Amino acid sequence: MIELEKDYDPRKVEDKWLARWLENRAYHSDAGSGGKPYTIVIPPPNVTGILHMGHALNNTIQDILVRRRRMQGFNTVWLPGTDHAGIATQNVVERSLATEKKTRNDLGREAFIGRVWEWKEQYGGTIINQLKKLGASCDWERERFTMDPGLSDAVTEAFVHLYGKGLIYRGSRIINWCPRCQTALSDEESEHRDSAGKLYHIRYPVKGGATGEYVVVATTRPETMLGDTAVAVSPDDPRYKDLVGKTLILPILNREIQVVADSFVDPAFGTGAVKVTPAHDPNDFEMASRHGLKHINILTPDAKMNAEAGPYAGLDRFACRKQLVADLEAAGLLEKIADHNHAVGHCYRCNTVVEPRLSPQWFVKMKPLAAPAIEAVKQEKIVFVPDRWTKVYLDWMENIRDWCISRQIWWGHRIPVFYCSACNHEWAAKGAPSRCPKCGDAGIRQDEDVLDTWFSSWLWPFSTFGWPEKSKDLSFYYPTDDLVTASEIIFFWVARMIMAGYEFMGDLPFRRVYIHGTVRDDKGRKMSKSLGNSIDPLAIINEFSADALRFSLTMLTATGQDVYVSNEKFTLGRNFGTKLWNAARYLQMQTKDSPAMVSAGIPSAEGLAVLLRDGIALSPDDQHILYLLRDAIAACDDNLDKCRFNDAAHVLYEFVWHQFCDWYVEYSKSVLYEAQQDRREHVLRVMHFVFSNVLRLLHPFMPFMTEELWLAMGYGVEGGTISAAPWPTLPDNATLAGYGVNKATVAYVDDKYDLIRVGRALRSDYTIQPSRKIAYIVKPVSPQCADALRADMESVLQLLRAEKVDIVPEFQPAKAMPSGVNKLGTIFMPLDGLIDVQAETARLTRQREKVEAELAKVDAKLANQAFMSKAPKDVVAQLQQRRSEVLEQVGKYDRQIQALV
RNA sequence: GGGCGGUUAGCUCAAUUGGCAGAGCGCCAGCUUUACACGCUGGAUGUUACAGGUUCAAGUCCUGUACCGCCCACCA
């Protein structure tokens, strides 16, 4: 044993263990080196990221899963890494360039990418180090980065494969364009946000019509009219029947445009006439292809008006909107401006309003990839926890649209497509070809675009294990077991990984997806930098400890529900840690003279048998705590199996604090302080046995403190680790009985504790100083109870803090005496004339009223014939049992009140 | 517009399959009880959002309403 300091110093202990774990390669796994595999791949945080509460929760959950499996003997690997986060990282580096008054164009592509790598080398390890501080038991030797050579190779392989199958194509489509990042975004990367906009009603004069003959169109983006090539109306709209086919004059530009009929148009919305801007609206684009309309792009990449915008060329889109509206108004062509709330797309990286824009981009055909991924989930080969996400996933998958994978940025995997300038041949290839495979010309160039970051992430579960090589790791660790992530990322990542798994590996990427809630502030708002309401997990680690952070988060997060946190909430985990620490200290102090007793805490095949070495029978309290320990292990396992992490933590919290500390340790004091040596040692054994189990059960939740205590208590050896200790299992009921744990005794102890509570309440009601030892009298309900209590008197005295407790079966108090009723009997507190008759009458009357109310309730139920005939027997029996108890108590109170007057 | 989640003690949340509504924090009273005041003992606190329904029995199942939140969506 290593003596524990009075105060736990988490900074010292956590730093120490962190260093040792890394040094000892404590969490390294080798393929095939014993044990069935258990695999988790981390959702790779952005390399630009810093640890926030969402990460803390996400990784704590993964660590709980992984640490438990490791202790259960699985060959466990938790693979860490980071994501190159194309746009986000490029933005970060561009910002730092901006401080030097430079742009990426000043550097050129190659030099800029060099800068990004420099940045990555310098700051990219931040979040990994923060994960280590959290206690994440990743196999750090396996850390991967989505841009490292192996993964880049996987990306090219995947691209070439899909290209070869015709599942990747290039086409001009309306895509979401971020004018600030100057790149296309996928549909998922454009976040729709409700905003209070305007609906502008604009008059388009009819060519050759009378003065004042207009078609009025409604639009939220008036500046796009500069790109209009038609106006569409519903074919069934009587108002416009005669207009179809006619020509309108586009105001300002005086472009002649046709009126076309298209069933897309909803006659009930706006004016029933829609301006058609094929180059800046996906629906209009569709309409244009149906009617053979021209596309006129009016925007530059940074969302300024281009030459097509005539007088507005050069203006920013919003400035143009303002000017155009003013000009229309001056020309009498603005009918009205109505308020209109609608959702506007924003760039998920920089929050700029995205602009739908016609642009040549690369796409992946998703429908064929989706089919097996839908099947897998429908057949429950892959399950979502909580189950409701299954529907969200399936809805999205069944309506999946092609994925825009090209980005006009520099940081990322360059699209491996090459063009021959001699023969215009286009092909995809791995490596760096030097000649056109078709004509042999050396004049070739590679596509300028890079791939969407998620194009590398979707390969993560197998690219990290060496794919496309058929590595030993890959065959051993794949498919992975659990994926733990947040709901935001189901479409971005989870769904795509499932598709990639089937497409490239021919097998599912993971068996279970646990979706946890979002961490919010105490007002329910998402934590964000701009709101300034973030709680920094590292600040919590510094103020409390990593264990406290983890345990608190786990306790507070109901399965799949959002969690609201504030600084004070982390005292929960801190206080629990302190409790555990002090329990350990107490145990150590008591064990000083009997060091051998520690052996009961050392996991061994003997298990409980070690307790019985001296042939001493287990006391009722011993039996009780062992029984509850068994229950706690069972409940903890069950909850962890079901991803009910908060319930699992709660079971342990309750067991450790209230069962072990408040009752068992308190009981043990009488034995430890007063009993003879062999009984002392016996109790110490039970305590070490239980405590050792507790430490192991808690290890996944609070790895640092449990590791420290494991060594300090002497359950482990110097240089060892609790993660190598076996996960607790306890014998079933029958075996437990074989060790002398008797279920009836356990039930008796529950009743005994209840009796003690009644006795304590008496003392409290009469404000008797705790230091004053009371002599109680118990009138037992039966001779068996009397025997049990007599045999168990040491425990009763200790827990009741009583001087003595007389068991008097025939006790009839001669005078009024405070008392309380319990299953085992009535407990009296003789006070030697101190009783205040009035106060006591009031107290008893109050208590009687309570019991009587319950009696009335129970009686009403029992009188209900329908209930009696239809309710199951055990429910009725339970109620009848309760009735007799309550009835008896009412009678007791009556008699006591009687005695007072 | 479609979908999902939530509404339970002062606060934050639990409550597997319908079967005596719980915990933490806070609150009240008492405590230098020799591990722990980050503690111990005792205590108070509920029209389970609302309105109906099913059932012997509803926080739990069904129908509807209100409010809060999230996700998806091509009504310009």
Side-chain angles (χ1 to χ4, degrees), chain A residues 579 652-664:
Chain A
K579 189 73 183 178
L652 299 178
Y653 181 93
E654 171 70 23
F655 177 77
V656 171
W657 199 310
H658 300 300
Q659 301 303 335
F660 183 67
C661 291
D662 288 352
W663 287 105
Y664 189 76

Side-chain angles (χ1 to χ4, degrees), chain A residues 878-895:
Chain A
Q878 216 179 323
L879 208 63
Q880 277 165 339
Q881 161 87 22
R882 183 70 196 146
R883 180 178 189 277
S884 64
E885 281 169 33
V886 173
L887 187 65
E888 193 182 339
Q889 290 185 10
V890 172
K892 290 268 164 75
Y893 285 124
D894 278 343
R895 263 168 276 148

Side-chain angles (χ1 to χ4, degrees), chain A residues 7 20 36-37 47 99 202 248 258 263-264 329 360 430 515 554 565 631 650 748 789 795 799 841 854:
Chain A
D7 293 311
R20 283 202 202 170
K36 282 194 292 185
V47 67
T99 63
I202 303 169
L248 305 177
Q258 301 297 309
S263 55
F264 161 76
E329 184 150 35
K430 298 186 76 170
I515 305 284
T554 309
V565 299
D631 281 353
H650 197 264
Y748 152 78
L789 283 171
S795 165
L799 291 168
T841 313
E854 197 186 340

